[in-house]
Amino acid sequence: MAAGAAELQGKYQKLAQEYSKLRAQNQVLKKGVVDEQANSASLKEQLKMKDQSLRKLQQEMDSLTFRNQQLAKRVELLQDELALSEARGKKSKKSVESSSQLSQEQKSVFNEDLQKKIEENERLHILFFEADEQHKRLEAELRTRLEVLETDAAQHQAVVDSLTKKYTDTIEKLQNDKAKLEIKSQTLEREAKDCRLRTEECQQQLKNLQAALGSRLEESLCIINEKVPFNDTRSNRYNALNVPLHNRRYQLKLRDLAGKALAFVQELVTALLNFHTYTEQKVQIFPIDSATDTISPLNQKFSQYLHENASYVRPLEEGMLHLFESITEDTVTVLETTVKLKAFSEHLASYLCFLRKILPYQLKSLEEECESSLCTAALRARNMELHRDMKRLTAVFEKLHTYVSLLALPSTKPEGLLRTNYNFVFTNIAASLHGFHDVLKDISKHYSQKATLEQDVPTATQKLITTNDCILSSVAALTNGAGKIASFFSNNLDHFTASLSYGPKGGTEFISPLSAECMLQYKKKAAAYMKSLKKPCADSVPYEEALANRRVLLSSTESREGLAQQVQQSLEKIAKLEQEKEHWMLEAQLAKIKLEKENQKLKNSLSGNLTETMQEHSILPNVTEQKKETTEKREPIKSTSLAPDVESREDLIKTHYMARIAELTSHLQLADSKSVHFYAECRALAKRLSLAEKSKESLTEELKAASQNISRLQDELMTTKRSYEDQLSMMSDHLCSMNETLTKQREEIDTLKMASKGNSKKNKSR
């Protein structure tokens, strides 16, 4: 939707730019049309003035022609009168003389008038000719101007046609865009409706969940108020006795980590044993071979101490094994409950004492080796480097012992270390392990250089070379083991630090060892109680059978007293039978003892009377002890005679026990396979449960994100609707204004065409 809005905005900007360009062109055309209109108006006024002057001239010409005609008629009349008068003058001279005088006067007057009229007529002809010439000139100018205006009008008409075509195209495009936007708005409205429906459903679900949670909260509050008279979580002392929620995943993870740590410690112990043993061999053969010559008292004492390394190194593996065995699936493993960590710390302290004991001898042995004649300068330098490395190794073990003993404090003295310092202790252990790895890498490097230099010694034997190779292999194994355990501890450092928060709910401090022990006892009791609850109930007697038994009991004639007497008699019989059983058991035991006695006599007949008497004295107290044990229902004593019936009986017992052992092993294998199967099923169910929890969390997060998206989409839809409506209204206003301007331009062009056509018609008529 945002991309469509951006595309529409771009189109709208392009249209606005084109519209601004067309508007500028339209203003230029308007100015040209206005100028042409002003010119045409001035030309119209000039034409009107010329028409008026022509009309005046035509009127003057008409008046002059009419006057000339009058004058011509008058001249004709005068000529006729003159002819009549001349004819009459012939008749009489007197009348002729008088009439000649009168005609002379009249003729002179008429001549003057005629001369004036001729002059005036010439002047008018000249004016008419000038006016006609001026009219022709004006008409030619107007015709040329009209042609120019017609060409301009044609050009303007072409521009107007192109603009109208362009405007129609833009209008069609805008209409198409409008249709597309309407379709988009409809789709967005549909999506908005769907989102509204989904929001309503989500709101309804939220209301239902709130109502359900509210009811559950009220029920739980009522149960807490009614059933919990004392809240022991407020006090840390009492809260420490509460059994925490059993985090099986945490216990399995911790057991897995302990198993890996045990494997690494076993590798380290094996490498340390080999290193000390091969070092002892090396002291025996270099620089002086004990087979050919006596070694120094220092090296003798050093080899003697090195020979005791197993008694100090083996307990490390045993302590780690006990620690691993103490971490089970059913226990709560925190620092307060890991009591075996104290034993491991003590074993590490004993090994550290061993290292401190052998360190001076080792350093002196290296110095003695440097003082020998076989030692070269390079070998002496390597020995001094190893001298420093052995000091660093002991210092690293001292650091490790310090931090491990600090970790063992919460199980014995919780006040010895604050909870806030545990993270610091774990990080320092990781750093010490990395330092241990670095020291071992330096030792491996310097030992390899020393071994190569010792091979070049002229007195070097094959035994020395093989011993050096063994020492190098043991140091390489030590380095690999130290690197593995250092990387293992660093990778799981977050888990070790996070495990500190595992404990009773709401606890702010670590529990003491005594309360931890009590808490574990409570946990065992709670687990036993839960197991007892899970046991199926015994099958009860059916109702019909119980009714029948009740009828039999009621219909029986025996009373309670008779039944009590029968019970008493049966108890007496049982007591007598038990006494007889004990009597016969004693008799059988005495018979067995006598049989053993006879067998011993037969066996010891060759050894003499002394052994027989001693055997008798040893048998008598056994008889008394066996009598006491028979009263306590003791097991019978096995016979060890050498008779053939005894051997056959032993064979039968052996075959019976072998068959029983085979049966038990098969049952044990079947139980192991079932336990493995159940363990795998439990692991799978735990994984499925964790996946379901993760999917639940992801679904809740998606639901929150969807609700947020719905609200955001609603806001965007409202804003886009408003923007689209504003844009459509603006576009419609622009279109209306453009249509109005086009109609005005068309009207102006039509008026210009009409005016030009009228002018052309007038010019043609003129």
Side-chain angles (χ1 to χ4, degrees):
M1 189 176 68
E7 186 179 357
L8 181 63
Q9 192 70 21
K11 286 183 180 179
Y12 179 70
Q13 288 178 359
K14 288 180 181 178
L15 289 172
Q17 290 175 1
E18 290 178 359
Y19 177 72
S20 62
K21 289 179 182 178
L22 294 172
R23 193 169 181 182
Q25 292 176 2
N26 194 7
Q27 289 177 359
V28 174
L29 290 172
K30 276 184 178 180
K31 288 180 181 179
V33 170
V34 168
D35 294 337
E36 293 298 329
Q37 285 178 355
N39 291 328
S40 63
S42 64
L43 289 171
K44 284 178 183 178
E45 290 177 357
Q46 288 177 5
L47 282 171
K48 286 179 182 178
M49 291 171 68
K50 296 296 180 184
D51 288 334
Q52 289 176 2
S53 62
L54 281 171
R55 284 171 187 168
K56 287 179 181 179
L57 291 171
Q58 284 176 358
Q59 288 176 1
E60 287 178 356
M61 285 289 292
D62 293 335
S63 62
L64 287 171
T65 51
F66 180 70
R67 184 72 174 163
N68 286 331
Q69 287 175 2
Q70 285 181 352
L71 289 171
K73 287 179 180 178
R74 192 172 180 184
V75 167
E76 287 177 357
L77 290 171
L78 288 171
Q79 286 177 357
D80 291 336
E81 287 178 358
L82 183 58
L84 289 171
S85 64
E86 284 179 354
R88 288 175 184 171
K90 288 178 180 181
K91 291 179 178 179
S92 60
K93 287 181 180 181
K94 289 180 181 181
S95 61
V96 172
E97 288 178 359
S98 63
S99 60
S100 64
Q101 287 178 357
L102 288 169
S103 63
Q104 284 288 334
E105 291 176 0
Q106 289 178 353
K107 190 175 180 180
S108 62
V109 171
F110 285 142
N111 285 330
E112 288 177 1
D113 291 333
L114 183 64
Q115 188 68 33
K116 286 179 182 179
K117 294 295 182 184
I118 289 167
E119 290 175 358
E120 189 176 357
N121 196 7
E122 286 177 358
R123 187 174 57 78
L124 288 172
H125 274 293
I126 290 165
L127 288 171
F128 180 73
F129 180 74
E130 289 177 356
D132 192 12
E133 289 293 329
Q134 192 175 1
H135 177 69
K136 286 179 181 179
R137 211 170 37 250
L138 239 161
E139 188 178 359
E141 289 176 0
L142 289 172
R143 279 180 181 175
T144 54
R145 197 159 183 185
L146 183 62
E147 289 175 357
V148 172
L149 288 172
E150 283 178 354
T151 53
D152 291 337
Q155 289 177 358
H156 290 314
Q157 186 64 35
V159 172
V160 168
D161 292 335
S162 65
L163 288 173
T164 52
K165 188 176 180 182
K166 200 169 186 179
Y167 287 148
T168 52
D169 293 336
T170 53
I171 287 163
E172 288 178 358
K173 284 182 182 178
L174 290 171
Q175 285 177 353
N176 292 326
D177 292 336
K178 184 180 177 182
K180 289 179 182 177
L181 288 172
E182 286 178 354
I183 293 166
K184 276 188 179 180
S185 65
Q186 289 175 0
T187 54
L188 288 171
E189 284 177 357
R190 283 196 225 99
E191 289 178 359
K193 286 180 182 178
D194 296 335
C195 291
R196 284 195 204 98
L197 293 173
R198 287 174 65 186
T199 50
E200 288 176 358
E201 290 176 359
C202 293
Q203 287 175 357
Q204 189 65 32
Q205 289 178 1
L206 183 63
K207 287 179 181 178
N208 295 330
L209 285 171
Q210 286 178 351
L213 289 172
S215 61
R216 288 176 66 182
L217 180 63
E218 289 177 358
E219 290 177 1
S220 59
L221 287 173
C222 291
I223 291 168
I224 288 167
N225 293 326
E226 292 175 0
K227 304 292 184 182
V228 183
F230 173 65
N231 186 8
D232 55 359
T233 58
R234 294 179 181 175
S235 176
N236 293 325
R237 289 168 54 197
Y238 299 137
N239 190 31
L241 299 174
N242 287 327
V243 180
L245 295 173
H246 183 61
N247 193 344
R248 185 172 175 273
R249 187 185 305 166
Y250 163 76
Q251 287 295 124
L252 291 174
K253 174 72 174 174
L254 206 59
R255 185 170 174 80
D256 187 21
L257 293 176
K260 290 180 181 177
L262 175 63
F264 294 142
V265 169
Q266 287 174 349
E267 290 181 7
L268 208 63
V269 165
T270 305
L272 284 171
L273 287 171
N274 293 331
F275 177 68
H276 292 311
T277 304
Y278 293 132
T279 306
E280 180 189 357
Q281 292 180 9
K282 175 73 179 296
V283 169
Q284 293 287 335
I285 61 175
F286 190 81
I288 300 170
D289 193 354
S290 61
T292 59
D293 197 359
T294 57
I295 60 175
S296 64
L298 178 70
N299 284 335
Q300 288 179 3
K301 197 73 175 175
F302 183 37
S303 63
Q304 182 183 352
Y305 285 152
L306 285 173
H307 192 69
E308 300 171 357
N309 68 86
S311 61
Y312 296 100
V313 178
R314 289 288 182 192
L316 292 174
E317 182 180 354
E318 294 174 0
M320 197 66 198
L321 181 62
H322 292 320
L323 180 62
F324 170 70
E325 290 173 352
S326 67
I327 300 170
T328 60
E329 185 181 346
D330 299 329
T331 58
V332 178
T333 304
V334 288
L335 289 175
E336 287 76 10
T337 59
T338 53
V339 183
K340 300 295 181 180
L341 190 62
K342 179 67 177 175
F344 179 75
S345 173
E346 291 173 354
H347 295 320
L348 187 61
S350 66
Y351 179 67
L352 179 61
C353 292
F354 171 72
L355 288 178
R356 287 173 180 168
K357 184 169 68 173
I358 66 170
L359 181 63
Y361 295 98
Q362 193 167 13
L363 300 179
K364 289 290 184 181
S365 177
L366 288 170
E367 291 173 0
E368 184 178 339
E369 186 178 342
C370 292
E371 292 173 358
S372 67
S373 60
L374 299 173
C375 186
T376 61
L379 188 59
R380 193 177 293 109
R382 300 291 86 77
N383 286 333
M384 295 311 294
E385 288 174 352
L386 284 172
H387 191 279
R388 290 190 293 272
D389 292 338
M390 291 304 169
K391 288 182 179 178
R392 288 170 60 200
L393 183 64
T394 307
V396 166
F397 269 103
E398 286 178 354
K399 279 186 181 180
L400 282 172
H401 170 254
T402 302
Y403 294 124
V404 172
S405 61
L406 284 174
L407 282 183
L409 279 177
S411 60
T412 55
K413 296 178 181 179
E415 67 277 1
L417 190 66
L418 295 176
R419 180 183 180 183
T420 55
N421 295 327
Y422 278 109
N423 191 10
F424 176 73
V425 172
F426 279 119
T427 52
N428 282 324
I429 288 174
S432 300
L433 288 172
H434 282 290
F436 178 49
H437 182 229
D438 294 336
V439 170
L440 287 174
K441 283 196 291 186
D442 292 338
I443 290 172
S444 177
K445 176 183 173 184
H446 298 149
Y447 245 116
S448 64
Q449 293 173 358
K450 182 183 177 184
T452 54
L453 291 172
E454 286 177 352
Q455 287 179 3
D456 299 333
V457 175
T459 59
T461 60
Q462 187 63 34
K463 189 176 180 182
L464 176 63
I465 294 169
T466 54
T467 304
N468 283 332
D469 293 337
C470 293
I471 289 173
L472 285 173
S473 63
S474 63
V475 171
L478 263 175
T479 307
N480 292 330
K484 288 179 183 177
I485 199 166
S487 60
F488 162 76
F489 201 86
S490 297
N491 293 332
N492 296 289
L493 188 61
D494 295 334
H495 182 76
F496 290 142
T497 54
S499 64
L500 302 176
S501 61
Y502 181 49
K505 188 175 180 182
T508 57
E509 294 180 358
F510 278 119
I511 49 180
S512 63
L514 184 61
S515 58
E517 188 178 356
C518 294
M519 182 268 294
L520 291 176
Q521 291 177 2
Y522 294 153
K523 186 177 185 301
K524 290 178 182 178
K525 289 180 181 179
Y529 178 68
M530 295 300 290
K531 285 181 181 178
S532 66
L533 288 178
K534 289 181 180 178
K535 286 182 181 179
C537 297
D539 295 333
S540 62
V541 179
Y543 184 67
E544 295 177 356
E545 187 177 351
L547 287 176
N549 291 334
R550 185 171 181 275
R551 291 192 193 98
V552 171
L553 185 64
L554 291 173
S555 63
S556 63
T557 56
E558 293 179 354
S559 63
R560 183 178 293 178
E561 293 178 356
L563 290 172
Q565 289 176 0
Q566 288 180 2
V567 169
Q568 189 69 28
Q569 290 175 2
S570 61
L571 288 172
E572 290 175 356
K573 286 180 181 179
I574 288 167
K576 288 179 180 179
L577 289 171
E578 284 182 352
Q579 289 176 359
E580 289 178 357
K581 179 184 175 183
E582 289 180 358
H583 173 70
W584 289 112
M585 283 179 69
L586 288 170
E587 290 291 333
Q589 197 73 23
L590 289 170
K592 284 181 182 180
I593 292 166
K594 287 178 181 179
L595 182 62
E596 287 180 0
K597 185 178 178 182
E598 293 296 328
N599 289 329
Q600 289 293 332
K601 284 180 180 180
L602 289 171
K603 182 179 178 182
N604 299 323
S605 61
L606 298 174
S607 60
N609 294 324
L610 182 62
T611 55
E612 289 179 1
T613 55
M614 289 174 69
Q615 186 69 27
E616 287 176 1
H617 286 298
S618 63
I619 287 169
L620 287 172
N622 286 333
V623 171
T624 57
E625 288 176 4
Q626 285 172 356
K627 284 182 181 180
K628 290 178 183 179
E629 287 175 355
T630 49
T631 57
E632 296 172 358
K633 297 182 180 180
R634 190 174 55 85
E635 292 183 355
I637 300 170
K638 294 182 180 179
S639 175
T640 59
S641 83
L642 299 173
D645 56 349
V646 174
E647 290 179 357
S648 62
R649 187 176 64 182
E650 285 180 355
D651 293 334
L652 288 172
I653 291 167
K654 185 178 180 182
T655 53
H656 171 69
Y657 278 114
M658 290 297 289
R660 184 64 178 162
I661 287 165
E663 185 181 357
L664 289 173
T665 52
S666 63
H667 283 301
L668 183 62
Q669 289 175 357
L670 182 62
D672 288 337
S673 62
K674 285 183 179 179
S675 64
V676 169
H677 177 66
F678 291 147
Y679 179 71
E681 284 186 354
C682 292
R683 288 285 296 273
L685 288 171
K687 287 181 180 178
R688 288 176 63 187
L689 181 61
S690 63
L691 291 171
E693 289 176 353
K694 288 180 181 177
S695 63
K696 182 181 177 182
E697 292 175 358
S698 62
L699 287 172
T700 52
E701 290 176 358
E702 287 178 359
L703 182 62
K704 291 179 182 177
S707 61
Q708 292 176 0
N709 288 328
I710 286 165
S711 60
R712 183 173 56 79
L713 286 171
Q714 286 179 353
D715 298 334
E716 287 182 358
L717 183 62
M718 294 299 292
T719 53
T720 49
K721 262 190 171 181
R722 289 172 185 169
S723 63
Y724 287 155
E725 288 174 357
D726 296 336
Q727 288 175 3
L728 289 172
S729 62
M730 288 171 67
M731 288 165 72
S732 60
D733 295 336
H734 285 308
L735 289 172
C736 292
S737 63
M738 287 165 71
N739 288 324
E740 289 176 358
T741 53
L742 285 171
T743 51
K744 287 179 181 179
Q745 287 178 2
R746 284 175 182 171
E747 289 175 357
E748 289 175 357
I749 289 164
D750 292 333
T751 53
L752 284 171
K753 284 181 179 179
M754 294 294 291
S756 61
K757 285 179 182 178
N759 290 327
S760 61
K761 285 179 182 179
K762 286 180 182 179
N763 291 325
K764 285 178 183 178
S765 62
R766 286 176 186 174

